[in-house]
Amino acid sequence: MEWQFFSVGNAVCWLPKENVMRISNLFNVTMVAASAFALTACASGGSGGMDNGQRMAERGGDITARGKTWTDGQRDQREGQKLLSRSAKRAADGEKDLKNAQEKMVKAQRQIEDSRTERMNGEQLVSSGTQKMQQAEAEYSSIRNGPSAVPQP
């Protein structure tokens, strides 16, 4: 560890070099802040500054600027509330439309399944009907080829 001689006013001591640097920096910052504070106090504390009218006019400008900012803030807040309200309504409408579309989709899927079932039933009936007709035709043909139902003289 490296030691360094350090003094402030009447105080003198030997400190590690890294501590001396920290203390020096802290002392410098403190002195700068104190100087700035003293200069500000001197500049604003004098009687050679503005008169009452000038100070009131300056404050009026500051108040006007803050009033404009306040008014702008109120306008932005109103517009933001409108946007929030409008977006909430649009989201609700979108959700309602989506729900309706999903219900329509379920209904359409049910119709498709029902039509497929009906088609299968229809194909089965056509096949069964065709078989019955073929059987009836075969039976009729055998009856027609047989003896006459009307006695012959």
Side-chain angles (χ1 to χ4, degrees):
M1 178 177 294
E2 189 175 331
W3 293 81
Q4 182 175 349
F5 177 76
F6 181 73
S7 69
V8 175
N10 293 336
V12 177
C13 58
W14 285 92
L15 294 172
K17 188 173 185 175
E18 58 208 34
N19 289 349
V20 171
M21 296 189 93
R22 284 188 203 138
I23 292 171
S24 295
N25 287 340
L26 179 62
F27 181 77
N28 289 339
V29 169
T30 305
M31 288 305 293
V32 168
S35 299
F37 180 76
L39 287 174
T40 303
C42 291
S44 63
S47 62
M50 297 185 283
D51 65 7
N52 288 340
Q54 290 172 326
R55 281 194 300 272
M56 288 174 65
E58 185 177 303
R59 286 185 193 160
D62 290 345
I63 292 170
T64 300
R66 286 188 180 94
K68 182 181 179 332
T69 303
W70 177 266
T71 303
D72 291 346
Q74 285 180 321
R75 185 187 64 243
D76 290 349
Q77 190 179 37
R78 276 192 312 271
E79 288 176 10
Q81 289 296 331
K82 286 178 186 177
L83 282 174
L84 289 173
S85 178
R86 187 170 43 231
S87 69
K89 183 183 180 326
R90 289 182 64 199
D93 289 346
E95 289 172 1
K96 182 180 173 184
D97 292 345
L98 179 61
K99 182 181 175 196
N100 289 339
Q102 288 171 337
E103 289 173 357
K104 287 181 181 181
M105 186 177 74
V106 167
K107 183 180 176 183
Q109 287 174 337
R110 194 175 319 120
Q111 283 178 330
I112 291 170
E113 289 180 27
D114 290 348
S115 69
R116 286 180 180 158
T117 302
E118 288 175 354
R119 181 179 180 176
M120 287 175 29
N121 290 340
E123 288 174 350
Q124 191 175 19
L125 284 173
V126 166
S127 176
S128 173
T130 302
Q131 283 179 342
K132 286 179 183 178
M133 287 172 32
Q134 288 173 348
Q135 183 181 359
E137 189 177 321
E139 289 173 1
Y140 177 72
S141 191
S142 68
I143 293 173
R144 209 171 99 210
N145 289 336
S148 176
V150 178
Q152 298 271 343

